[in-house]
Amino acid sequence: MSNSTTESVRSGRKQRSRFATGTSPYLKSFKKISRWFSPTWLICIPLVAIIVLVWDGAAVAQHAFDLDEMDMSDPAVIKGILDTVFVFFCAVLVIFMNAGFAMVEAGFCRQKNAVNILAKNLIVFGIAVLAYWAVGFAFMYGATPGSPFIGMSGFFLASSDPATYGLDPFPGGLPISVAFLFQVAFAATAATIVSGTVAERIHFTSFIIFAFLLVAISYPITGHWVWAGGWLSDLPFGEDVGFHDFAGSTVVHSVGGWAALMGAAFLGPRLNKYPASGGVNAIPGHNMSIATLGCLILWIGWYGFNPGSELAADPNITFIALTTTLAASAGGVLATITSWVKDGKPDLSMVVNGILAGLVGITAGCDSIPYWGAVIVGAIAGVIVVFAVAFFDAIRIDDPVGALSVHLVNGIWGTIAVAIFGGANFLAQIVGILSIGGFTVAFSSIVWLLLKAILGIRVGAEEEMRGLDISEHGMEAYSGFVTETDTFSGGTVSPVSGSDVAGEV
């Protein structure tokens, strides 16, 4: 045997020996990588690869617009492109409202919970997008096959046929992609409303699970009833037909409010909010500057919310924008006056919530209520929100940011107002409010109770007193700054140690 042949045989034996004994550099690398992942994760890798391959094929079909075949001088094509750009711009405005919600909620709550609040408001949009993409959009707008109760087609946005989602082909209708972007921004808003009401005492995990289920199941079903040809959109009462909620006073805001109400009820109030001796302890927010800025962001974002619901760039969008502006202005002014008369001082938090209440109130009828009616709707919303805050305190429902007063109560008011000022049928509006509210309360109660039984929904007393930033996230929003202490059981509790400190600080 030649020397070269001998060396080749020896090399082969060494290679086989390394594979047999597990000393191959390839196996060593695999073993090292496998230590980083559990068996469950390793099993998921091929499954993810299969899903990616399958949906990549679907994605190619969905983006099959061939603009070269379109006559760009055709007025219909130009109008279709203009509508698409307009709705996309409005979708971005509504998505940016998440920043406003985060700032209002963080500002109205204590600094020891700021990280938790910001994390919830940021992650809830990502959760909403995935939930709505997977099943929510199909439940809400799936048209073939569908029913007056729920849509059942087009899951995972797998269909490239606009008719699957009740859309006309482009340019007569919007592309599926932009229709989804606009609608998912609304869906996320419903979940974000819940965040404020359950703030400062809920487990992060329980909240994100609830938000996923709300956007995936509950919100799309009731939305289908109104906006996708469901049974509420076709209620014959006399000459008027159907429940009217143009941009979501009930479909979005009251749904979020009902879900938040049940969450607050099952959670219970924050520690020391309602002493056993009676009365209400005010727990002021830590940053009214950021809350005010958040309110202005929401106001601007509403110009995507309401005019965007026209789903076309036509002259009516300016009418809608103006009714929206008048209602918000009247809400802020009347809330200021009401709180001034009621409590002796003009309360900035009521100014903020009065503006938001006016915006929620006009949302259902911004397309049909005249200018003078918009002023009245907003003014009444501004008065209602002040007394609604006191009402929820009276029944010991702790709502740190006033979301129930803004979104639930004034969502109901705004929906009724369309019958008073906008010509909608009063009976249809009441049926819509009660049916959507009843379904949301039932669904939310079941989910909250299951979460409470399986995971627990409320943090422990010591964790709550220290703050959710530390207990839930292990970090602080204002590291290096002096943090506040909290009055509890006649003394104070350090947010760092949780130990009792004599006296009050």
Side-chain angles (χ1 to χ4, degrees):
M1 186 180 290
S2 66
N3 289 338
S4 62
T5 303
T6 302
E7 288 299 320
S8 177
V9 170
R10 287 174 180 171
S11 175
R13 286 173 180 170
K14 289 179 181 178
Q15 193 74 5
R16 287 194 297 272
S17 176
R18 282 196 292 267
F19 274 106
T21 59
T23 58
S24 164
Y26 303 106
L27 287 177
K28 283 183 176 179
S29 299
F30 178 77
K31 286 183 176 181
K32 186 178 293 186
I33 292 171
S34 68
R35 292 193 197 104
W36 300 343
F37 300 95
S38 67
T40 303
W41 276 104
L42 291 173
I43 293 171
C44 287
I45 291 173
L47 293 177
V48 171
I50 293 170
I51 292 171
V52 169
L53 289 173
V54 171
W55 291 113
D56 181 64
V60 171
Q62 290 166 9
H63 295 284
F65 275 110
D66 190 352
L67 295 178
D68 293 334
E69 294 184 358
M70 294 185 181
D71 181 3
M72 301 305 290
S73 63
D74 184 348
V77 174
I78 296 173
K79 179 65 164 59
I81 293 173
L82 182 61
D83 290 344
T84 300
V85 172
F86 170 70
V87 174
F88 172 70
F89 175 71
C90 289
V92 172
L93 283 178
V94 179
I95 292 169
F96 189 56
M97 289 173 71
N98 285 279
F101 281 118
M103 295 170 80
V104 169
E105 185 180 338
F108 275 4
C109 294
R110 290 165 291 185
Q111 66 188 53
K112 65 182 181 179
N113 298 309
V115 166
N116 177 259
I117 288 165
L118 296 173
K120 285 191 302 174
N121 279 270
L122 190 58
I123 197 64
V124 76
F125 182 70
I127 290 167
V129 169
L130 296 178
Y132 205 63
W133 164 74
V135 295
F137 193 55
F139 282 158
M140 190 161 177
Y141 287 101
T144 51
S147 76
F149 183 76
I150 188 172
M152 288 298 291
S153 61
F155 296 97
F156 294 94
L157 283 182
S159 176
S160 59
D161 181 5
T164 303
Y165 306 103
L167 298 168
D168 294 327
F170 184 85
L174 294 171
I176 296 172
S177 53
V178 78
F180 174 84
L181 279 173
F182 186 72
Q183 296 300 335
V184 77
F186 278 53
T189 298
T192 303
I193 291 166
V194 180
S195 175
T197 300
V198 300
E200 302 200 291
R201 63 219 193 264
I202 192 170
H203 276 300
F204 187 74
T205 303
S206 295
F207 170 74
I208 61 177
I209 292 173
F210 180 85
F212 180 89
L213 294 174
L214 180 71
V215 175
I217 302 173
S218 179
Y219 169 81
I221 289 176
T222 54
H224 181 83
W225 298 353
V226 180
W227 289 342
W231 68 276
L232 280 178
S233 65
D234 192 25
L235 288 176
F237 292 114
E239 296 180 358
D240 300 314
V241 176
F243 173 72
H244 186 95
D245 186 2
F246 181 75
S249 287
T250 287
V251 175
V252 178
H253 295 281
S254 284
V255 163
W258 286 118
L261 175 64
M262 302 318 298
F266 289 117
L267 270 173
R270 290 168 291 175
L271 295 175
N272 206 34
K273 174 66 177 177
Y274 305 116
S277 57
V280 179
N281 279 340
I283 303 179
H286 82 283
N287 193 330
M288 293 306 296
S289 298
I290 198 172
T292 302
L293 181 57
C295 174
L296 290 170
I297 290 174
L298 288 171
W299 192 341
I300 293 170
W302 235 282
Y303 294 116
F305 210 98
N306 286 2
S309 294
E310 184 75 3
L311 300 179
D314 61 38
N316 200 42
I317 61 176
T318 54
F319 173 85
I320 295 169
L322 184 49
T323 57
T324 300
T325 306
L326 290 169
S329 302
V333 171
L334 264 293
T336 302
I337 294 172
T338 303
S339 67
W340 203 338
V341 172
K342 177 177 175 290
D343 302 319
K345 298 286 185 181
D347 186 336
L348 176 57
S349 67
M350 290 300 176
V351 180
V352 169
N353 277 338
I355 290 170
L356 299 180
L359 290 165
V360 171
I362 197 60
T363 294
C366 56
D367 65 320
S368 56
I369 294 177
Y371 297 145
W372 61 268
V375 173
I376 296 175
V377 170
I380 293 175
V383 175
I384 288 174
V385 75
V386 175
F387 289 100
V389 169
F391 168 77
F392 285 113
D393 275 337
I395 63 173
R396 302 175 77 86
I397 295 291
D398 186 12
D399 180 9
V401 303
L404 298 176
S405 304
V406 170
H407 298 280
L408 173 56
V409 176
N410 279 291
I412 293 171
W413 156 238
T415 307
I416 293 173
V418 189
I420 300 172
F421 301 101
N425 183 278
F426 184 81
L427 184 57
Q429 299 302 96
I430 296 298
V431 170
I433 291 168
L434 294 178
S435 58
I436 291 174
F439 180 88
T440 307
V441 165
F443 178 89
S444 300
S445 298
I446 292 170
V447 175
W448 285 124
L449 285 171
L450 287 174
L451 288 172
K452 188 174 184 178
I454 298 171
L455 295 177
I457 57 176
R458 181 162 184 152
V459 300
E462 183 175 349
E463 293 175 304
E464 184 177 337
M465 297 308 296
R466 293 182 67 194
L468 274 62
D469 289 3
I470 297 298
S471 65
E472 293 280 291
H473 305 276
M475 62 191 306
E476 296 176 321
Y478 305 100
S479 182
F481 287 78
V482 176
T483 57
E484 83 277 14
T485 55
D486 292 282
T487 302
F488 181 62
S489 298
T492 60
V493 175
S494 165
V496 175
S497 67
S499 60
D500 288 336
V501 180
E504 291 192 9
V505 177

